[in-house]
Every structure is written in structure tokens, then in C-alpha cells.
Amino acid sequence: MSGSAAVVAMTNVRRVYTSVDGDRFVAIEDLSLEVGEGEIVAIVGKTGCGKSTTFNLLLGLEAPTYGSIKVLGKDPYGDFDYFRSKFGVVFQTDRLLPWRTALQNATLGLEVLGYLESQQKEIARYWLEKLELGGFEEAYPHELSGGMRQRVAIARAFSMSPEILFADEAFGHLDQSTAKRLREVFLNLVAETKKTCLLITHNIHEAIEVGSRLIVLGKPSRVLYDVRTPVGVSRAQAADLEDRILTIIEANEVVQV
Ligand SMILES: Nc1ncnc2c1ncn2[C@@H]1O[C@H](COP(=O)(O)OP(=O)(O)OP(=O)(O)O)[C@@H](O)[C@H]1O
Ligand SMILES: [Mg+2]
């Protein structure tokens, strides 16, 4: 972690869901982690281990059953309004509104924040251009490819000038080459704007490539392994790390470092 105060701090977080029949299900067992300003953290873990739940907690969409969560020093659930412009989120599906054009989709967050219409359009056009969608501002989602739609979703996230970017399997449903290209575009923008970024992926290879740091979660969620991923890692090193991470996920035991 960098020397500055943590942007994200989760301490002994537990999240238990209770069904209508009173059955309890532990989605997050005991999760503690800190993320510093400007870090790009890739999070991997088995399906159902609680990755998206972790994002929901950090986004203040739900509260932990136990433990403390601080984002930018505040409680994302209790201080929900404070965070309205602080988060940019890109999900697996683009979540565009089909009746709005690319430009109107990209202005959505700014509209909610009460920006003047002229400002909304100026900012959204800038980001659509950055995402190589200049000329497609008036296109509707059904007129765009999956990759282009995801670009609109990314433009929408950056338009808000958020402090933290969350990407939950954002490139998972695209073909491999489109995903690779879009991931590069996204990460270049993250680096250029010096944002803090948390990125969930099923693709361990992707996790090694993207992050400055990689966190492996167990099932149910707790940190099994937390490692810095070197820049310019060789293919052989990446393959070794990938094998190691797969073994850790399978063993589902905390690795002491
Ligand atoms: N609202 C809810 N009520 C009950 N159980 C839930 C709820 N939300 C999530 N869960 C359960 O909590 C566990 C963790 O879910 P979560 O969506 O966080 O997993 P995930 O790691 O994101 O999985 P995936 O990789 O498949 O996206 C799952 O078993 C899921 O069924
Ligand atoms: Mg998920």
C-alpha cells in the first residue's frame, strides 16, 4: 500500500444473508483489506466467494453484518449521499438504457448530479471521444456492438470524474481480443487520471496483467493471498504465478507471507 491514508479499509467484515425461512448463509466470512490511493487492485476468487457482495458493501448498497468499512474515510452505507459522484462502476453487462442514445447514456450520472445540460454534453462527448466513439453519440445501444456498448458504460463511469473505479467482470463477456483491447483502454484511462481502481475478474491471467496488486479471496471471502504484481512480468513468471494462484484458490487456505 502507498504511504497515504487508505482509500478503502475493510476490517473484519462479515456479511451474512438470512433467508425468509431464517436460514443463514455466510457470504463473507472475515474480510480485512486496505487499498491505497492510486492502486490498481485485481481481485480473484471462486464463483460465489463474495466478490460482488464486497463491491456492494464498498458501494454502500448494503451494510456489513459485522465489522467496519471505510471508503475515503467515511462509511459508504451510512454516508451514502456523500459518495454519489465518488464512484465509477462498470459491470459485466453494460446496463445502458435502451431508449437513450450513447450520449444520453453517458450523461446519465451527470444529470443525476444536477449538471447543466450543456456541461453534461460537453463532458460526456469528451469521454466518448476518448473511448473512440466519436461519431456514435446519437446511436442507440441496439445499434452498437457489445464492445462499443461497454465503451459507453466506461465513458459514463469516467464522466462523473469519480475517485474510485470499480469494475466487476467488466470485460468477461467480450471475445478475447476485444476484451484485451478494451482492458488496455480502460487501464490507460485509470493510469492517466490517477484513479484508484478495484477490478474483479475470473481471468487470472487478466488479474496478473492489469493490477499493481492482486488479491485472492477464499470461499467464503477472506484474503488468502495478497501480492504485488511486477510491471513487465515475463511470460514464464506470469505462468508460474498463475499456477500458484490456481493452487491457492483450490486449497482455499490463507497463505502466510
Ligand atoms: N441478496 C442475497 N441474498 C442471499 N444470498 C446472496 C445475496 N447476494 C449474494 N448472495 C450469495 O452470496 C454468495 C456470494 O455472492 P457474490 O455474488 O458476491 O459472489 P461472486 O464472488 O461475485 O460470484 P461470481 O464470481 O459468480 O460473480 C453467493 O453464494 C450468493 O448466492
Ligand atoms: Mg460476482
Side-chain angles (χ1 to χ4, degrees), residues 17 25 27 45-54 62 168-169 200 202:
Y17 291 112
F25 179 83
K46 269 196 177 152
T47 182
C49 80
K51 301 181 293 297
S52 297
T53 304
T54 302
E62 44 186 285
D168 190 349
E169 280 293 328
I200 292 172
H202 278 129

Side-chain angles (χ1 to χ4, degrees), residues 85-190:
S85 63
K86 304 283 191 287
F87 298 143
V89 192
V90 188
F91 296 100
Q92 179 166 17
T93 54
D94 51 66
R95 301 198 186 186
L96 300 182
L97 299 175
W99 59 88
R100 293 180 72 130
T101 63
L103 183 65
Q104 289 167 341
N105 268 291
T107 57
L108 200 61
L110 299 168
E111 196 178 303
V112 173
L113 289 175
Y115 277 67
L116 288 175
E117 201 178 321
S118 56
Q119 284 179 316
Q120 293 174 24
K121 286 187 173 162
E122 189 186 335
I123 297 168
R125 275 185 204 284
Y126 170 83
W127 285 105
L128 287 172
E129 189 76 40
K130 280 264 216 205
L131 283 141
E132 298 164 12
L133 284 169
F136 291 93
E137 292 87 350
E138 301 309 320
Y140 285 88
H142 74 268
E143 298 172 301
L144 301 172
S145 70
M148 290 164 93
R149 287 202 296 273
Q150 200 62 324
R151 283 172 192 265
V152 177
I154 294 172
R156 181 178 57 191
F158 275 97
S159 289
M160 309 267 290
S161 193
E163 303 213 7
I164 311 174
L165 280 149
F166 292 90
D168 190 349
E169 280 293 328
F171 316 107
H173 72 298
L174 301 169
D175 69 77
Q176 221 174 323
S177 69
T178 306
K180 187 172 185 324
R181 172 85 186 98
L182 200 47
R183 203 167 66 215
E184 282 167 8
V185 170
F186 176 77
L187 289 168
N188 285 339
L189 292 177
V190 169

